[in-house]
Amino acid sequence: MSEAGGAATGQDALGRLSAALGKPGRGPAPVERWNPPYCGEIDMRIESDGTWFYMGTPIGRPALVRLFSSVLRRDPERFVLVTPVERIGIAVADAPFAAVEMSVAGDDSDRSVAFRTNVDDLVRVDAEHPLRFDLDPDGGLKPYVLVRGGLWARLTRALTYDLVELGEERNEGGRTAFGVAVGDLFFPFPAESTAR
């Protein structure tokens, strides 16, 4: 890797990072406990659909993407990949993950909702893993679910429609709000949303 603040480049950087991470197939690493030095940026980007790119080329090995996602962290100033010995910045277009599958069980106050991400994280919506709704510039709805540590997954378009189908109106703080109820939680859509 390069000196702090510089750019980490080349296949060498990716090879060293892969070797430092070990074998694919494990869960997320305890990145919140690691504080290695910042070693600059690497030419890695996560597009808004959840596709990971290295040096402009999609990373075609799902196991490698899952491995990198297990050491992804959101620092205040940037997204980083963290090992016990180095921390490198990467670019993220929107959210680092995509929610690609949804499971709904029960109704009303007994409803539970869970998602699977493009890197096979399983997330059950609750107070620690809330839903969030943003607006597209055109007024459309962009739903997200918190996966872990400030890392969100954006729902695919198909799942967005499925989630909106679960929507209902409620009186929230003296005004009517449209949103999604999960258990005893209610996640309102932005007031300007045209999702309904």
Side-chain angles (χ1 to χ4, degrees), residues 58-137:
I59 300 175
R61 293 176 47 207
L64 190 57
V65 170
R66 284 192 297 274
L67 178 65
F68 289 140
S69 74
S70 73
V71 294
L72 182 64
R73 183 173 82 192
R74 175 75 172 143
D75 283 356
E77 62 281 352
R78 67 181 59 86
F79 288 93
V80 292
L81 298 177
V82 184
T83 73
V85 296
E86 56 190 351
R87 180 169 43 108
I88 55 174
I90 67 169
V92 176
D94 186 357
F97 305 127
V100 296
E101 190 176 348
M102 181 172 74
S103 171
V104 180
D107 290 314
D108 302 322
S109 62
D110 292 328
R111 177 186 291 149
S112 67
V113 177
F115 295 96
R116 183 180 63 82
T117 72
N118 60 316
V119 292
D120 290 333
D121 284 313
L122 300 176
V123 183
R124 182 177 302 277
V125 175
D126 58 22
E128 292 181 10
H129 304 94
L131 294 171
R132 180 186 100 211
F133 300 100
D134 292 349
L135 290 176
D136 265 327

Side-chain angles (χ1 to χ4, degrees), residues 148-170:
R148 65 178 179 273
L151 302 176
W152 294 82
R154 182 173 173 181
L155 277 62
T156 63
R157 181 178 299 273
L159 290 187
T160 299
Y161 291 131
D162 292 344
L163 190 66
V164 169
E165 286 294 316
L166 298 176
E168 61 187 67
E169 285 189 346
R170 284 198 178 176

